[in-house]
């Protein structure tokens, strides 16, 4: 199937935000007024929102992957499940050697296995499931985790898991209706959703709950899709394509760098501007080498290993 560039842009954009979040979550800078401003911005605008975006993209890419297998006449169910098992094992291996991003891969694999059943559901069922979970998230928006109340902890944890899973289902739904292949047909709906989620983002900004994460991630996705409809903006953002295509490798590399190197500065007096600079340098370096790498190879190193495990056979990665 034809590769959808907008998805790679969106994946690259999400990775930008996650890089800033990971740096500031693992190293605490000097406490100043500037630190509190930057910390609040990252916490309210970036934290968890970009993880939700990746879950959406994971659901979308899973459906596109299955569609591609059907077109090629492959054993769809076997390869799809093996793909998720390999992802889980990769996550487990990374976790064992101390790379924190491994746990996220394991969570994606589990959500993907649960979502396998929804791949065979009609699109109307999937959008109803997403809508139902969104309504549940709205009704439970005022419930916060209280350490002394185990019932509250279980409710919040369950809603959190369901809220994240709903993004996987939404991605699957848009893949089923070929949304990104017929994006101009949905232009009016996109602008309507932009106004709705723009209002909800303003309404629930700083609420620090699952509803805020769900609403803001959808607002970011819609904004980026609308912007990407312009050829001028697509050309401007073209540097994100390779960065997004290698998101798995880039994510593991930057989290490894943060965990094994930056963690040593936890007790050092680093300023907020220093951490912003470090985040920016990580992003620039990864964008540069991603674009260079994909001139000679078809996919990133970790993506290639995942592909080998998925198909269970040797595959060339060097560009012809």
């Amino acid at each position: 199937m034809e590769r959808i560039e907008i998805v790679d842009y969106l994946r690259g954009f999400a990775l930008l935000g996650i890089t800033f979040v990971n740096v500031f979550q693992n190293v605490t800078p000097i406490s100043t007024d500037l630190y509190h401003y930057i910390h609040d911005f990252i916490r309210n605008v970036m934290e968890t929102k970009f993880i939700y975006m990746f879950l959406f993209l994971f659901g979308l890419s899973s459906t596109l992957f299955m569609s591609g297998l059907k077109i090629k006449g492959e054993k769809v169910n076997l390869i799809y499940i093996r793909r998720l098992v390999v992802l889980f094992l990769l996550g487990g291996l990374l976790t064992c050697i101390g790379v924190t991003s491994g746990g996220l891969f394991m969570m994606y694999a589990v959500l993907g296995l649960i979502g396998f059943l929804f791949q065979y559901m009609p699109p109307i069922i999937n959008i109803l499931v997403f809508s139902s979970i969104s309504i549940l998230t709205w009704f439970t928006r005022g419930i916060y985790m209280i350490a002394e109340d185990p019932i509250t902890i279980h409710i919040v944890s369950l809603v959190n898991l369901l809220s994240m899973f709903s993004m996987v289902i939404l991605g699957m739904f848009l893949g089923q209706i070929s949304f990104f292949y017929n994006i101009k047909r949905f232009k009016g709906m996109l602008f309507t959703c932009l106004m709705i989620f723009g209002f909800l983002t303003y309404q629930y900004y700083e609420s620090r709950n699952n509803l805020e994460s769900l609403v803001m991630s959808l607002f970011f996705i819609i904004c980026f899709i609308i912007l990407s409809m312009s050829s001028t903006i697509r050309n401007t953002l073209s540097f994100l394509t390779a960065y997004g295509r290698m998101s798995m490798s880039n994510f593991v590399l930057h989290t490894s760098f943060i965990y094994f190197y930056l963690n040593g500065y936890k007790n050092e007096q680093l300023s907020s501007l220093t951490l912003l600079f470090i985040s920016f340098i990580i992003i620039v370096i990864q964008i540069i080498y991603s674009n260079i790498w994909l001139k000679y190879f078809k996919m990133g190193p970790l993506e290639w290993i995942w592909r080998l495990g998925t198909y269970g056979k040797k595959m060339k990665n060097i560009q012809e």
Side-chain angles (χ1 to χ4, degrees), residues 193 206 298:
C193 290
E206 293 187 328
K298 296 177 182 178

Side-chain angles (χ1 to χ4, degrees), residues 30-300:
I30 302 169
S31 182
T32 62
D33 290 340
L34 179 62
Y35 159 71
H36 291 297
Y37 176 79
I38 294 173
H39 179 265
D40 287 346
F41 177 80
I42 289 175
R43 184 186 63 185
N44 294 321
V45 176
M46 298 182 180
E47 196 174 284
T48 70
K49 286 74 175 178
F50 292 99
I51 295 296
Y52 274 56
M53 290 173 68
F54 262 116
L55 287 166
F56 164 80
L57 291 165
F58 181 70
L60 172 65
S61 61
S62 295
T63 299
L64 297 177
F65 179 74
M66 281 194 76
S67 299
L69 291 175
K70 290 174 184 176
I71 291 172
K72 294 174 185 175
E74 299 276 6
K75 296 178 180 178
V76 179
N77 294 344
L78 174 65
I79 295 176
Y80 181 88
I81 292 174
R82 191 161 58 197
R83 179 175 185 256
L84 295 172
V85 170
V86 171
L87 180 62
F88 185 88
L89 293 175
L90 276 174
L93 178 62
L94 290 169
T95 302
C96 288
I97 62 176
V99 180
T100 54
S101 53
L104 200 60
F105 291 164
M106 295 170 75
M107 182 189 74
Y108 279 22
V110 171
L111 292 177
L113 285 170
I114 297 171
F116 175 67
L117 297 174
F118 292 86
Q119 295 283 5
Y120 291 97
M121 295 289 181
I124 186 65
I125 297 295
N126 285 338
I127 195 61
L128 285 173
V129 169
F130 168 77
S131 301
S132 300
I133 295 174
S134 300
I135 292 169
L136 175 65
T137 304
W138 185 83
F139 275 114
T140 57
R141 68 192 185 281
I143 302 176
Y144 293 91
M145 195 173 288
I146 304 171
E148 295 79 12
D149 187 355
I151 295 177
T152 303
I153 292 173
H154 291 317
I155 291 173
V156 173
S157 300
L158 177 61
V159 173
N160 181 44
L161 183 61
L162 288 173
S163 183
M164 290 191 292
F165 182 64
S166 73
M167 293 298 288
V168 177
I169 296 298
L170 179 63
M172 289 180 178
F173 166 74
L174 293 183
Q176 287 176 320
I177 65 173
S178 301
F179 175 84
F180 286 94
Y181 289 110
N182 305 281
I183 204 164
K184 290 185 178 178
R185 287 175 48 194
F186 301 97
K187 194 173 182 179
M189 184 193 72
L190 281 169
F191 279 99
T192 302
C193 290
L194 179 67
M195 290 187 287
I196 293 171
F197 285 101
F199 170 76
L200 291 173
T201 296
Y202 172 78
Q203 188 78 11
Y204 294 107
Y205 181 72
E206 293 187 328
S207 60
R208 297 284 293 153
N209 55 29
N210 293 317
L211 182 64
E212 181 206 33
S213 298
L214 184 66
V215 165
M216 288 189 71
S217 60
L218 289 172
F219 178 68
F220 290 151
I221 290 169
I222 294 165
C223 282
F224 206 85
I225 291 172
I226 291 174
L227 289 173
S228 299
M229 291 170 70
S230 164
S231 58
T232 303
I233 294 177
R234 279 202 309 274
N235 292 333
T236 304
L237 298 174
S238 60
F239 67 90
L240 286 176
T241 306
Y243 184 56
R245 284 177 62 186
M246 287 180 57
S247 58
M248 188 180 192
S249 297
N250 284 330
F251 180 64
V252 170
L253 281 172
H254 92 237
T255 51
S256 299
F257 171 75
I258 291 167
Y259 182 77
F260 291 113
Y261 182 73
L262 281 189
N263 262 353
Y265 288 89
K266 268 195 170 183
N267 299 319
E268 299 289 333
Q269 296 296 299
L270 298 178
S271 69
S272 299
L273 289 178
T274 300
L275 293 186
L276 283 176
F277 179 73
I278 290 172
S279 304
F280 180 74
I281 291 299
I282 290 172
I283 290 167
V284 169
I285 291 173
Q286 291 199 316
I287 287 174
I288 291 171
Y289 80 64
S290 294
N291 280 275
I292 294 173
W293 179 277
L294 291 179
K295 285 183 179 180
Y296 301 98
F297 300 94
K298 296 177 182 178
M299 61 192 78

